[in-house]
Amino acid sequence: MTGGIDETKERLLEAAGMVFSERGFRAATVREICQRAGANLAAVNYYFGDKERLYVESVKRAHARREEAAPLPYWPSDTPPEVKLHGFVQTLLSRMLGDPRSAWQAQLMFREMQQPTAACGELVEEYIRPHFELLQSIIADLAPAGISEQQRRLIAFGIVGQCLYFRIAEPVVRQLLDQTEFAHVEPGRLADHITHWTLAALGRRQFVSPDGVAGRKRQETGR
C-alpha cells in the first residue's frame, strides 16, 4: 500500500490481528491496538466504524495473508485427482504450519473457530466454503461410484482434521517424537502420509508425490 491513509489502515489491521490473537476479542483494547499501530485512537472509528468491525477485518486479513503465502497450485485440466489431493493437503498444511514469525495469523483464526463471533460467518463464506467445496470435488473424482454427498463431506472433514491435528497438538507431538523424527513433521511429508491414508481408505492405488518418498529417503541416506 502507498499513501498515508492506506498505510495507517494496514498498520491497524496488522496490530489488531496480533493483539486479538493474544488476548481475544473481549480482552483486547482499542487503545493497545492503536499504540502498537502508532495511530490515533480515532483512527479505528474512522476506518472501521467500531472495534467489532476491526476484529472481523483483521481475522479475514489474517486468512488472506496465509493464502497469499501458500496459494493453491495451478492444475491443468488433465491433472489426476490424486495429484490435486496431494497439492490441496500440502497447501493446507503449509498455511497451518507456516512461518513461525506469522504464527499469530493461525492463532487468531483458531481462536475465532473456538470462540466464534460475527467474523466466523464471513470467514466461512468468503474463504473456507470455496476450499471445502474444492476438496469435495476432488474426493468425488476419487471415491467409488455411488458414494453419497454426506459421505464426501465426512471424508473431507477427516482430511482437514488430520491436518489440524499437527497444528493444534504440536506441543504434544513434540513430546511424543524425538528431535530427529519431529524434524520430519513438515508439510511435504505429512501431505504424502495423509494422501496415502486417504487413497487407501478409498481403495485407490498408492500415490508417488512430486518429491517422491523414495527420493527423500535417498537424499537422507546419501544414496
Side-chain angles (χ1 to χ4, degrees), residues 72-109:
L72 282 167
Y74 167 73
W75 293 314
S77 58
D78 60 347
T79 302
E82 295 89 348
V83 174
K84 291 183 179 179
L85 176 62
H86 186 276
F88 183 96
V89 171
Q90 184 163 347
T91 299
L92 188 59
L93 287 162
S94 295
R95 293 174 182 175
M96 292 180 181
L97 308 176
D99 189 342
R101 292 172 298 181
S102 57
W104 65 266
Q105 295 168 350
Q107 178 63 32
L108 176 60
M109 289 182 288

Side-chain angles (χ1 to χ4, degrees), residues 94-167:
S94 295
R95 293 174 182 175
M96 292 180 181
L97 308 176
D99 189 342
R101 292 172 298 181
S102 57
W104 65 266
Q105 295 168 350
Q107 178 63 32
L108 176 60
M109 289 182 288
F110 288 131
R111 182 186 284 274
E112 173 59 25
M113 291 176 189
Q114 293 167 347
Q115 301 173 350
T117 68
C120 188
E122 294 190 32
L123 189 65
V124 168
E125 293 306 315
E126 294 183 29
Y127 295 100
I128 297 176
R129 187 180 299 280
H131 283 74
F132 190 64
E133 290 176 352
L134 171 60
L135 178 56
Q136 288 186 82
S137 73
I138 295 171
I139 293 168
D141 290 337
L142 290 167
I147 192 169
S148 70
E149 184 177 354
Q150 181 184 33
Q151 288 173 307
R152 287 202 306 270
R153 286 197 294 266
L154 290 173
I155 293 167
F157 284 131
I159 292 169
V160 174
Q162 290 184 74
C163 297
L164 276 170
Y165 176 80
F166 291 100
R167 174 61 180 82

Side-chain angles (χ1 to χ4, degrees), residues 3 8 12 16 31 33 43 50 55 71 76 96 99 109 115 117 132 138 153 156 173 201 203 216 221:
T8 300
L12 282 169
R31 181 176 296 278
I33 292 168
D50 56 23
Y55 175 76
M96 292 180 181
D99 189 342
M109 289 182 288
Q115 301 173 350
T117 68
F132 190 64
I138 295 171
R153 286 197 294 266
V173 175
R216 288 189 181 134
T221 60

